[in-house]
Amino acid sequence: MIENMTIIERLAALHREAEAEMAAIADEAALEQWRIRYLGRKKGALADLFASLGTLPEEEKGAAGREANRVKGVLESLYRARAEALQEARLRRDLAAERLDVTLPGRRPAVGYPHPVRETLEEIIRIFADMGFTPVEGPEVEWDRYNFELMNIPADHPARDTMDTFYIDRQLGLLLRTHTSPVQARVMERQEPPVRVIVPGLVYRRENEDASHLADFWQCEGLAVDRDVTFADLKGTIAEFARRIFGARVRFRPHHFQFTEPSAEFDFSCTVCGGEGCRTCEYEGWLEISGCGMVHPQVLRYMDYDPGLYSGFAFGMGPERITMLRYGIPDIRLFYGNDLRFLEQAR
């Protein structure tokens, strides 16, 4: 029967069929199928009818062509209207899903907080800055000359055994610094006395990691060089630091370091028992902190400082060690194990 219909009748039937299907379309995928079926350029039903216009007699082509264009315009309008309606409906659904109820209580954003070792390090720097020490930093990848030679530790000296070193290129003498003393050498190399600096930074040693040792850790060293600097000045500086950071007393014990002479280790009175004796201090009343001493005359000569005119003192300490003592933390590895149960207690 369709074969006996005229082009105009077939266009009218196509129009009715397309409108009926459009009324039932509920999603964008179905709409796309409708477009391909009726408006597709190659296989669409309307494209087939346009192709049939060429077979009509000349007197019928004009009316059939106008009707074909009218139906095409109507179907395209139907398509655009439904596409816009579906898009608007989708936007409404998205907005409904993301709707914010302004009457609900606000949510606090998750914020970070300082690491306990970083807090201690900053406090150490602040205390020494108040006493006139300028914070300076330097390279972590260092030359053997600065790390050892200028610190009065020549090649093959036994003192190097206490600093098992990570070498990047042993032939070139390139290494990861084992202490922050090279920064002191660099400062003295470019600056005439007086010098008064505090040097924080990461250092690296081939340590077997345990409860009190890491292969990379923080160190904070101080240096003062001027005329008439004495061991009494060193003792006073360390005693003032102990008072400010711990409220503790300090004692000095003779020791040996290659780059200081005389040298000493210093202890703080136990902050747990107040020096009475407890398990933390192994019932001695004192907690070992670090080492210090008067700058060795040979180190001054390396820097072109005249040891007859100038003297100085140097000291060092580990911020992790001090943090452990302050908070009673038994294992240094806890600081860097990324266990939030531990780190959140720092708040």
Side-chain angles (χ1 to χ4, degrees):
M1 182 177 177
I2 293 178
E3 294 176 359
N4 296 326
M5 295 172 65
T6 65
I7 289 288
I8 292 179
E9 289 172 336
R10 289 167 64 187
L11 285 167
L14 179 68
H15 184 179
R16 290 192 298 272
E17 180 184 346
E19 279 193 326
E21 285 193 19
M22 179 63 78
I25 288 176
D27 57 64
E28 291 171 333
L31 179 63
E32 178 63 12
Q33 292 299 317
W34 183 94
R35 184 194 67 78
I36 293 170
R37 179 177 178 182
Y38 292 102
L39 296 174
R41 290 185 179 182
K42 293 183 178 180
K43 297 183 179 180
L46 196 58
D48 289 343
L49 289 176
F50 267 99
S52 301
L53 293 177
T55 63
L56 295 177
E58 288 297 325
E59 63 272 16
E60 295 180 14
K61 283 183 179 180
R66 287 191 293 275
E67 181 61 14
N69 284 324
R70 185 191 72 79
V71 171
K72 180 183 179 184
V74 170
L75 296 189
E76 287 176 341
S77 296
L78 283 174
Y79 173 78
R80 287 194 297 270
R82 181 50 58 92
E84 290 173 3
L86 290 174
Q87 184 180 25
E88 186 177 343
R90 177 167 54 80
L91 289 173
R92 282 198 301 268
R93 288 195 303 271
D94 292 346
L95 288 173
E98 298 176 3
R99 184 173 57 191
L100 175 66
D101 186 348
V102 295
T103 65
L104 291 173
R107 297 177 181 174
R108 285 186 179 276
V111 295
Y113 40 87
H115 191 280
V117 174
R118 170 61 68 174
E119 280 194 315
T120 299
L121 180 64
E122 290 177 354
E123 186 173 356
I124 292 171
I125 295 169
R126 187 165 52 249
I127 290 171
F128 282 109
D130 287 346
M131 291 191 277
F133 290 79
T134 302
V136 293
E137 296 183 354
E140 294 176 19
V141 177
E142 191 54 276
W143 296 105
D144 184 286
R145 176 172 179 267
Y146 287 100
N147 196 78
F148 291 122
E149 296 285 345
L150 294 180
M151 291 297 105
N152 201 31
I153 309 175
D156 301 324
H157 193 282
R160 295 200 181 197
D161 294 341
T162 63
M163 301 182 191
D164 203 356
T165 308
F166 288 106
Y167 279 93
I168 296 172
D169 190 317
R170 190 180 288 270
Q171 260 191 321
L172 290 176
L174 196 62
L175 50 83
L176 294 178
R177 66 184 181 190
T178 59
H179 46 185
T180 56
S181 301
V183 183
Q184 300 178 21
R186 289 177 176 273
V187 170
M188 289 189 285
E189 197 174 50
R190 65 175 182 263
Q191 178 180 330
E192 290 293 321
V195 173
R196 189 175 292 186
V197 294
I198 187 76
V199 187
L202 281 169
V203 299
Y204 306 87
R205 297 182 189 175
R206 295 172 58 120
E207 298 274 9
N208 292 320
E209 295 192 356
D210 56 30
S212 57
H213 295 88
L214 292 173
D216 58 315
F217 54 95
W218 285 94
Q219 193 174 65
C220 201
E221 297 189 29
L223 171 73
V225 179
D226 203 350
R227 294 176 184 265
D228 302 321
V229 174
T230 67
F231 200 91
D233 297 318
L234 168 61
K235 292 175 69 176
T237 300
I238 298 299
E240 178 62 12
F241 171 73
R243 184 188 67 81
R244 291 199 193 185
I245 199 161
F246 275 139
R249 294 172 290 116
V250 63
R251 75 173 182 183
F252 294 83
R253 294 175 287 102
H255 198 69
H256 171 76
F257 297 109
Q258 190 64 17
F259 38 86
T260 56
E261 180 59 38
S263 305
E265 286 190 332
F266 58 91
D267 308 327
F268 290 169
S269 57
C270 181
T271 56
V272 177
C273 64
E276 296 297 321
C278 65
R279 290 178 60 186
T280 301
C281 62
E282 296 181 352
Y283 301 97
E284 291 188 2
W286 298 94
L287 297 168
E288 180 184 335
I289 300 298
S290 194
C292 61
M294 301 300 292
V295 179
H296 198 291
Q298 185 58 47
V299 174
L300 295 176
R301 292 189 189 97
Y302 285 145
M303 299 298 113
D304 291 329
Y305 288 5
D306 183 351
L309 292 177
Y310 299 110
S311 57
F313 62 76
F315 57 85
M317 60 191 68
E320 287 98 344
R321 171 71 171 160
I322 291 177
T323 308
M324 291 171 72
L325 296 176
R326 294 179 84 182
Y327 301 118
I329 296 168
D331 193 324
I332 193 172
R333 292 169 294 188
L334 287 170
F335 289 129
Y336 306 114
N338 296 325
D339 187 336
L340 289 178
R341 295 171 301 174
F342 169 77
L343 292 175
E344 286 177 346
Q345 296 179 52
R347 283 187 286 187

